[in-house]
Amino acid sequence: MRKKSFGTKRIVSFLGLLLFALLDGSVYAQRQEFTINSSWQFTLDCEPSMSETVNLPHTWNAQDAFTDKGHYYRGKGTYEKELFIPNEWQNKRLFIRFEGANQSTRLWLNKQLVGEHHGGYTGFVFELSDYIRTGEDNELMIEVDNRHNPDIPPLEADFNFYGGVYRDVSLIVSNSVHFDLASEAAGNFLIQTPEVTADKAEFQVESVLVNGSKSKRGVQIKLNIFNPQGEILKTLSQERKLSAGSQNSIRFSDFIQNPALWSPEHPHLYKAELTVTDKKTGQQLDEMSSSFGCRWFSIDAEEGFFLNGKPLKLIGVNRHQDYPVLGNALPNALHRKDYELIKEMGSNFVRIAHYPHDPDVYRLCDELGLLAWSEIPIINEITNSTTFTNNCLQMQREHIMQFFNHPSVVMWGYMNEIFLRMVFNRKLTDDDKEQIIATTVELAQQLDDETRRLDPDRLTAMALHNNQVYNTTGIADIPDVIGWNLYFGWYDATLDDLGAFLDKEHKRYPKRPILITEYGPGADTRIHTENPKPWDYSEAYQLKSHQSYYRQVMERPFVAGMTAWNFADFGSAGRQDTRPRINQKGLLNFDRTDKNVYHYYQALLLETPFVYMERHNPGQYFCDADSDGNGQLLLHVFSNQPNVELLVDDSQILNQAVKDGITEFQLTLPIGHHILKAKAGAVSDQYNLDVYSRSSLNQLIDKQAVCVNVGSHCDYYDPLTKEIWVHDQSYTKGEWGHVGGTVYQRNKQKFQGTAINITGTDNDPLFQTMQEGLSEYRFDVADGSYRVTLLLTEPNLKASSSLIYNLTDETDELAADLRIFDVLVNGHMVLYNLNMARDFGAAHAVAISFEAKVQNGLVIGFENKAGQAVLSGIKVEKIR
């Protein structure tokens, strides 16, 4: 390890340790724990000559996972730091605790390997005692590797595998006699509540007490139980004689009479505090504490989930842990913000996907009253190796032991869509598939057995994708609960097919409890339409989908619950949707700004009075006009009240009933500015909007540019320029639109052009849709001078960049992948032999502007040389 200057880091570390040295002796004798997050020297293996000072939590993929393909670095990173160890700690035991580092971690202290850990989402502790030098600086070095490793799950998944020490790291200083730290529980002790009723709750507390000294010690161990008000409810104690170098199991059990039960409405928390005291001197040697709750639950295949004896429909979200600019290296304050938003939505349930999250997340679920399904990241496929199996089992042990005490956790999951890759891999033989099935089912059984051994009181769970292989192989019969990840109306069939699927599954497997663990389409807040279709990424289709799912689930008592995919958009480097490298199925955007569907769930789930009017395109609506020239628009209002009163410009009053959290107002408004106020009981919401007429778009050109989203039935809002690109239409005399052509569809079963990443722009949706084979685009504008901008892209990634001077038999083979055309304005050539694959590259955003003098209307013509002309957008501005 190379020697570096750590002057600043040494000072920071020394001041932190000095604080503890100044404490009085009785406190200093106990355990001390503090973060050592600040000022690490960080180096990537791919850039060994470049080093920077970073604070933890940290990931090196916060930016590069969102750049063009090939920049997403998965490899090794090194963190180094000098830590001053005072002489006063000579007889102490020192530990370092990691809350999480992805995905393989090795730690050196003073150039000696202390330990290594595999798995990126659970905590781990290394003991440093045998490697430290007191009274001087000690060199710490952490190596983290997030490369693909066939023996460490997840092998691949639809989220980013951020590398780095992305959670807190702490130093722990303890006496020789201390509660166990360096185990799979990572310092946690276990609190069980095996029998709970409204009258009495049994609790059991288990820990391991370590005597790291070379002599026998007589100690007293005491357990204090605090009620939810913070008052001591019970005190239990026992005396033990500890052999030198021994580990000793400690167990307490007793009852709480008339317990305050934990629930989403009343998340009452008790606290257990363990202390150990030297019997001879009376000195307290160590202390640890943990919250816990008293509740009982069950699940029934016919009637769903029950908590404390009462039926409870589980409704909530999945949640990934990343955030813009930070990746997965979040401060605890942002975890709290997320879970507060989940609770404010009205959720009572969360699936912590697809891996254990930060320890603060589980504390927040306890405090806020959110029931939880927590799982380990065995996703899509497995490796048939002993090492992979052992790593999976270790992950589940760590997962359970570290989060055991949290009353919010009711289900332990261990696999997600595990046959997904096998189903879609056409190269596999039948023998290959049989082998994969056999080893996967065997691993599932081992994980289920281990989960039940460690925690017989909670439910085991597994999530499946829509394929009967899970039933035919029997793997779906292993866990207590099955979660179906169902995307009807998106990846599969139609929205209304959901109910038929659920009814069929329940009829075939009447004793199997089921949840819907994933559902929902992608949605982009820049895209608006009143004519939603699958794969248009509009908020309108997202709302339509969620309405349909909620209705169909609530009609079926045997469905225990549903968790929307996902709480918020999240990073996924392989994604090519309307926002590349982002999975957009969230109820909130990646930055946690809201989508309309979030408020729909508030109307469904909140008990306090609520009303909210949907928002689009920052209040600008381009509407079809009636015969009087007024704009017509559809407005959704979300409320949990029986009726909504809508005031238009403080004069016109409309009143409508609310059903299932929503009502629709079909409004006819004069062109211009309007103020809408929605009132529902004692609550209200106000929304300012401007109404424009699509049919009079040509008349607007004197005031602003006219922008058309060609080939799309959706309006598109550019948040940078504040321009709205209105949806396309066929030409009508006196108006505007395309002549000829068809909407380009890469996949004929989906409605929106192409989902590929368009380079050179942030406005991908504008370029992903287009008209193909059109002959003209017309605007019947007044005579004058105009600037015309065409938006184009080549959607065919295999498109030929060849030149064609004359078509012959030799070019026939190229014709299918060749696109060359001319562009004319009012009969005058402006672009000749345009071949976008040749001139700009496929899937690249092209904007070409030119000026034109117009008489008797503006006509942009397209003449094909090879293939068919395409047009994604057109912008017309009057030159003043």
Side-chain angles (χ1 to χ4, degrees), residues 815 818-820 864-869:
L818 194 62
R819 192 191 310 277
I820 300 178
N864 298 322
K865 298 292 185 65
Q868 293 184 309

Side-chain angles (χ1 to χ4, degrees), residues 3 23 43 70 91 185 188 191 229 240 242 314 340 364 366 450 496 532 588 703 709 737 769:
K3 180 70 175 176
L23 296 173
T43 309
N91 296 317
N188 187 38
I191 307 170
Q229 292 74 42
R240 298 287 290 272
L242 310 179
L314 299 173
E340 287 174 346
L364 288 165
D366 292 346
E450 185 72 345
D496 291 337
L588 300 176
K703 298 179 181 179
N709 187 11
T769 56

Side-chain angles (χ1 to χ4, degrees), residues 205 223 226 319 385 535 542 627 646 674:
V205 176
L223 171 68
F226 295 83
R319 188 255 187 181
S385 74
W535 289 90
Q542 184 183 41
S627 58
L646 186 68
H674 298 279

Side-chain angles (χ1 to χ4, degrees), residues 8-18 34 36 38-39 81-84:
T8 302
K9 290 178 286 301
R10 176 181 174 181
I11 292 172
V12 171
S13 300
F14 178 75
L15 290 176
L17 301 181
L18 181 62
F34 51 94
I36 52 171
S38 299
S39 298
K81 182 185 188 70
E82 286 192 355
L83 196 66
F84 182 78

Side-chain angles (χ1 to χ4, degrees), residues 677-748:
K677 294 179 182 177
K679 294 183 178 181
V683 293
S684 63
D685 184 34
Q686 180 170 312
Y687 182 31
N688 294 358
L689 58 85
D690 294 295
V691 175
Y692 302 89
S693 170
R694 284 171 46 82
S695 60
S696 59
L697 204 61
N698 290 336
Q699 284 73 53
L700 276 177
I701 207 163
D702 285 332
K703 298 179 181 179
Q704 64 187 63
V706 170
C707 306
V708 180
N709 187 11
V710 178
S712 176
H713 63 281
C714 300
D715 294 350
Y716 175 78
Y717 172 71
D718 184 339
L720 180 63
T721 65
K722 313 301 180 187
E723 294 171 319
I724 294 179
W725 296 72
V726 300
H727 64 268
D728 200 7
Q729 65 181 32
S730 297
Y731 171 72
T732 302
K733 188 172 177 58
E735 295 190 17
W736 56 274
H738 64 264
V739 178
T742 57
V743 172
Y744 175 83
Q745 291 178 240
R746 185 182 181 193
N747 184 324
K748 301 301 181 184

